[in-house]
Amino acid sequence: MSMKTLLLSILLLSCSVQCRSVGTHDVLLDKAINSLVTRITASQITKDSHYSSVLGLFPPLTWERQKGLYPSSVHFNFHGNRLMKALRDRVRVPDDNAFVAMSVTQFLLEALEFHPELYEKVTETQISSSIAAIISHRDQNREKGVPLYMFWRQKFINSTWSSWPTNLAVPLTNESNVAEAIRKLALRVCPNPKLLDVLKALVSVPKFIVNMFHIPADFDDTGCAIGLGVRLALLHGITFPTAAKHWQEASSNMNEFAAAVKKYAYRPFSNGSHANVIDPRTYLWLRNFLYEQEAESSRRGANPSVALVTTWVLNAEENRLNVLNQLPYWMPFNVNNVDASVVANNLFGIVSALLLEHTGAPVEWFDDDMNQIVADSAKLLAWILNTNALANRPDLVLLYYPSAFDFYFFVARLCHLLRFPPVYVDGDTAFQRVARSLIDILHDPLKVHGTQQLLSRAIVDDSFAYWDDIIGGGDNRFAHDDRFFSTAMAVNALLDIWTATVPCTHSPFKCKMRRTWDKGASETIRNIVERGVLWLSTVFKHTSRQNAFFSGSVKSDRGEPFIFPSNYMQTLSGDKLDCNSSLSNPSRVVIGVSGMIARDDYSLLLNSTCFGKSVPTVDPGFNCPSCTAPYWSSETLADAAALLALTKWSALKLDSSLFNDVEAK
């Protein structure tokens, strides 16, 4: 135990005696749980609406909304004084997407398992409506039944089904009107010189992201969708039969899903293949993991071989042809990448799908190649925890998920699923074989380093524990706008690491699952979790529920991939480039790392310049002076994360002597 952890433990034990009782009262907990589920249900979009404006003016009269989804908005990360905070809070665009609906529905289903009383509040209409909306985000360029999913809905453009976020795309393609409207309105309200700098950043956003809307299917939303569908089918098929049937009809072709995972995996040691080309930002943070794997293979006298889950269901060559043929289905910056949270979510989907063998479904799609991808990807997650990679380059490790607490929770829930599957698994099944392997890889890193990293970021006072992340951290007076969401995710992560799920001994439908503490869960961990639960239960009505569950990959002027070390530089037409070339049209080039760059050669590249800029070797932070990039926030997602944490706690058997003592007091 580190000195910091020891001191924290002493503080907590002292507070349990000297301060008022921190025991979570049932009345307070039940009130919070019921209020949260009511708020979540009320927030669901219940009817479609279309984008409508007068003469193309902004903002529109009505925004596009899709029935069955839950609301989220795009904000810009203005920070500093009160004016900047006001802009961050109020300059936002509603942006419905599948990820929020998938996550909220997943959390609701799990909350029902721990707190069946909520079945009175969560109806089949609500669940079926969400599932129908989610299924509408399935990639329509694929055959029926292939479970490859999009972040946004698609529109048929140039003979291709292409992502089209209407609320963002329509105004930003009419850039001059939007920019002029924002400029006039803002300067009329507050003619502040500082505001002019903000306006320049805001007005430049359309030019930067207008070509980023036509993204392909991704392995993040795909993994979340599969995990949700499997849980719905296995545990809630009787309660929500319409939703379960609709899901199974739309997403049954796991062979094509597995084929895509294998085809688009990152294979840095392969030769003559587009599979070895990756975003140079990924290579910067990932390279030491690859060097270690290469050295390990050398010690064993074997050829190095690594295969990792990527973000996009596309490769550089397919992307090049799509752009040249004007088929709007392409990756940002024309190259794939690896995001640690995407990796965890895709493994969650894969492992969940293996549970379908319990129902008699074939799992031949999980072959040796899939097994390697899953194992290597799990090793990467463990390496991130063991080396505390998030402390060095969170901007690159979490390219699209800036919240560190998202990552800890995604990995923790994956490992918990492996240790405690929600259905009884008998015999030597594919799930059991994978579970044995991945538990060995992930469990200890989560218990040791993951837990230490979570505890080190906890803020503890007399009665509460909570966590802060990034939104509001750059204000002159820290706003802590994402404290509620961050605390919910941190508590969920710690509960998934340090508790066991006790399965039902009878039918799982409407069965109340229980949680118990692992024997190794220290008093410090138990006490901090309870304090976090008490804080969530106390403040849920009157605190900010903002979050940055998603962001663009470029968060500042130092985040573009072009200025990172690379060895693969060319235009989409095939013309070679170098760092002294003109970069007049970044959307028409592909810059990446092909294969491996020797360690010494890479060190030299780190000290070089490319396109007139030095390599950003240090994370500028999410709240740097030039960091005004967009991020996605959903208050409903924050509520659902808190609901899941509180219902897990309600199902926890408090058999610790510490807690018995606290309750007695």
Side-chain angles (χ1 to χ4, degrees):
M1 179 182 292
S2 68
M3 181 60 67
K4 187 172 184 178
T5 303
L6 179 60
L7 291 174
L8 182 60
S9 178
I10 294 172
L11 171 65
L12 292 173
L13 289 172
S14 175
C15 282
S16 70
V17 175
Q18 298 176 16
C19 305
R20 74 175 179 85
S21 170
V22 296
T24 304
H25 301 292
D26 290 340
V27 173
L28 180 66
L29 184 64
D30 286 343
K31 182 178 179 180
I33 287 172
N34 282 285
S35 296
L36 285 169
V37 77
T38 298
R39 197 157 67 185
I40 292 166
T41 300
S43 75
Q44 187 180 38
I45 300 166
T46 57
K47 64 179 181 179
D48 294 330
S49 62
H50 301 286
Y51 187 97
S52 175
S53 65
V54 177
L55 300 177
L57 296 178
F58 182 86
L61 295 176
T62 58
W63 298 99
E64 180 174 271
R65 310 309 297 267
Q66 184 182 0
K67 178 182 177 180
L69 297 182
Y70 294 93
S72 67
S73 297
V74 180
H75 297 246
F76 294 87
N77 189 33
F78 304 126
H79 49 272
N81 58 29
R82 292 180 179 178
L83 172 62
M84 297 299 105
K85 173 173 167 48
L87 286 171
R88 183 177 71 239
D89 292 342
R90 297 174 187 175
V91 177
R92 57 183 179 180
V93 176
D95 181 60
D96 299 339
N97 56 77
F99 178 82
V100 170
M102 292 172 187
S103 299
V104 170
T105 307
Q106 176 89 31
F107 295 170
L108 278 175
L109 293 182
E110 293 188 37
L112 290 172
E113 295 159 18
F114 296 122
H115 211 76
E117 296 87 345
L118 297 179
Y119 276 106
E120 296 179 1
K121 295 178 177 290
V122 180
T123 66
E124 182 171 15
T125 298
Q126 179 180 354
I127 299 298
S128 295
S129 183
S130 290
I131 293 299
I134 291 167
I135 289 172
S136 74
H137 288 72
R138 194 187 69 82
D139 187 355
Q140 297 182 71
N141 295 298
R142 314 284 173 171
E143 294 180 4
K144 183 178 180 180
V146 177
L148 294 173
Y149 280 81
M150 318 289 295
F151 184 72
W152 290 310
R153 268 198 303 180
Q154 293 172 307
K155 179 180 179 180
F156 199 63
I157 306 173
N158 292 353
S159 303
T160 298
W161 287 101
S162 176
S163 282
W164 187 254
T166 299
N167 291 342
L168 297 174
V170 171
L172 294 185
T173 50
N174 193 8
E175 177 186 330
S176 59
N177 283 355
V178 176
E180 183 65 12
I182 292 174
R183 188 186 69 81
K184 287 183 177 180
L185 176 63
L187 291 180
R188 189 184 306 125
V189 172
C190 183
N192 187 310
K194 176 66 176 176
L195 191 57
L196 291 175
D197 295 333
V198 175
L199 287 173
K200 289 178 182 178
L202 183 59
V203 171
S204 69
V205 167
K207 297 178 181 178
F208 184 75
I209 67 171
V210 72
N211 291 321
M212 303 291 185
F213 295 141
H214 303 301
I215 54 176
D218 64 85
F219 286 113
D220 179 59
D221 289 289
T222 294
C224 292
I226 292 173
L228 168 61
V230 170
R231 196 154 203 115
L232 178 64
L234 292 181
L235 275 72
H236 301 273
I238 291 178
T239 312
F240 305 120
T242 302
K245 181 181 178 182
H246 195 184
W247 173 263
Q248 290 167 338
E249 291 173 347
S251 306
S252 59
N253 193 338
M254 292 301 299
N255 289 325
E256 288 300 313
F257 160 72
V261 172
K262 292 182 286 188
K263 180 177 181 180
Y264 300 111
Y266 172 44
R267 304 174 191 267
F269 297 104
S270 64
N271 295 318
S273 167
H274 296 289
N276 71 4
V277 178
I278 203 70
D279 190 313
R281 296 170 296 181
T282 290
Y283 192 85
L284 186 141
W285 74 265
L286 193 61
R287 70 188 191 282
N288 287 327
F289 170 77
L290 299 178
Y291 292 146
E292 290 178 13
Q293 296 301 304
E294 187 176 32
E296 176 61 25
S297 296
S298 178
R299 283 192 292 269
R300 292 186 286 106
N303 294 324
S305 177
V306 170
L308 301 172
V309 170
T310 54
T311 296
W312 304 112
V313 188
L314 207 65
N315 62 36
E317 177 59 17
E318 292 171 339
N319 185 91
R320 184 182 74 85
L321 294 175
N322 286 350
V323 175
L324 293 178
N325 293 322
Q326 298 183 348
L327 301 176
Y329 188 94
W330 48 62
M331 298 178 285
F333 302 112
N334 304 311
V335 67
N336 218 328
N337 59 68
V338 175
D339 177 301
S341 287
V342 173
V343 172
N345 281 340
N346 193 256
L347 294 193
F348 180 74
I350 292 172
V351 170
S352 295
L354 290 177
L355 286 171
L356 292 175
E357 188 176 10
H358 170 76
T359 67
V363 292
E364 287 84 0
W365 53 268
F366 193 81
D367 57 16
D368 290 342
D369 195 13
M370 282 290 287
N371 190 56
Q372 181 191 355
I373 294 169
V374 168
D376 288 350
S377 297
K379 291 176 185 176
L380 175 63
L381 298 177
W383 178 84
I384 292 169
L385 293 169
N386 290 336
T387 62
N388 197 12
L390 297 189
N392 298 318
R393 293 309 300 257
D395 58 323
L396 304 183
V397 180
L398 306 176
L399 201 59
Y400 294 106
Y401 284 94
S403 170
F405 301 110
D406 278 357
F407 170 74
Y408 290 119
F409 167 66
F410 293 153
V411 181
R413 76 166 176 178
L414 166 63
C415 192
H416 194 89
L417 174 66
L418 292 162
R419 296 172 64 216
F420 308 104
V423 293
Y424 179 69
V425 181
D426 190 18
D428 186 28
T429 63
F431 176 88
Q432 287 182 323
R433 292 191 294 273
V434 170
R436 286 193 294 267
S437 172
L438 266 58
I439 290 169
D440 287 343
I441 294 170
L442 292 172
H443 195 207
D444 283 346
L446 280 167
K447 289 196 301 182
V448 179
H449 300 290
T451 299
Q452 288 175 351
Q453 290 156 29
L454 283 164
L455 294 182
S456 71
R457 296 188 61 171
I459 303 166
V460 183
D461 61 22
D462 287 350
S463 300
F464 301 127
Y466 40 82
W467 286 258
D468 292 329
D469 206 357
I470 49 184
I471 305 302
D475 293 343
N476 296 344
R477 297 179 64 183
F478 291 160
H480 309 302
D481 286 341
D482 57 9
R483 177 174 287 177
F484 185 74
F485 176 77
S486 301
T487 300
M489 296 301 266
V491 169
N492 273 307
L494 288 170
L495 284 171
D496 281 356
I497 296 169
W498 288 104
T499 66
T501 295
V502 181
C504 297
T505 57
H506 50 85
S507 171
F509 300 110
K510 289 195 176 181
C511 162
K512 184 168 186 175
M513 292 188 178
R514 292 191 299 110
R515 287 281 183 109
T516 60
W517 286 108
D518 284 354
K519 292 182 179 179
S522 67
E523 292 177 348
T524 296
I525 293 167
R526 299 181 188 209
N527 212 322
I528 274 201
V529 168
E530 185 174 17
R531 289 167 183 267
V533 167
L534 183 60
W535 186 82
L536 290 170
S537 302
T538 303
V539 307
F540 71 93
K541 283 187 176 181
H542 51 79
T543 190
S544 168
R545 293 174 287 147
Q546 271 204 57
N547 47 80
F549 73 83
F550 182 75
S551 73
S553 68
V554 176
K555 301 167 184 67
S556 74
D557 58 359
R558 303 290 289 158
E560 297 174 337
F562 317 117
I563 58 178
F564 288 79
S566 61
N567 62 1
Y568 184 94
M569 305 173 66
Q570 63 183 44
T571 68
L572 294 179
S573 299
D575 298 327
K576 300 297 182 182
L577 297 172
D578 60 41
C579 284
N580 297 314
S581 301
S582 172
L583 197 62
S584 58
N585 191 355
S587 65
R588 305 287 290 187
V589 303
V590 54
I591 295 177
V593 173
S594 176
M596 295 289 294
I597 300 176
R599 193 188 297 264
D600 291 343
D601 293 340
Y602 196 86
S603 296
L604 293 175
L605 291 174
L606 285 173
N607 296 313
S608 64
T609 60
C610 203
F611 302 109
K613 293 185 178 181
S614 61
V615 178
T617 56
V618 178
D619 174 24
F622 196 79
N623 293 302
C624 70
S626 64
C627 296
T628 52
Y631 65 90
W632 278 249
S633 178
S634 171
E635 293 184 343
T636 303
L637 180 60
D639 283 343
L643 174 69
L644 181 59
L646 298 186
T647 54
K648 284 177 185 174
W649 178 261
S650 74
L652 185 60
K653 180 181 179 182
L654 302 181
D655 53 358
S656 162
S657 59
L658 171 66
F659 280 90
N660 291 334
D661 289 346
V662 169
E663 289 185 335
K665 294 182 179 71

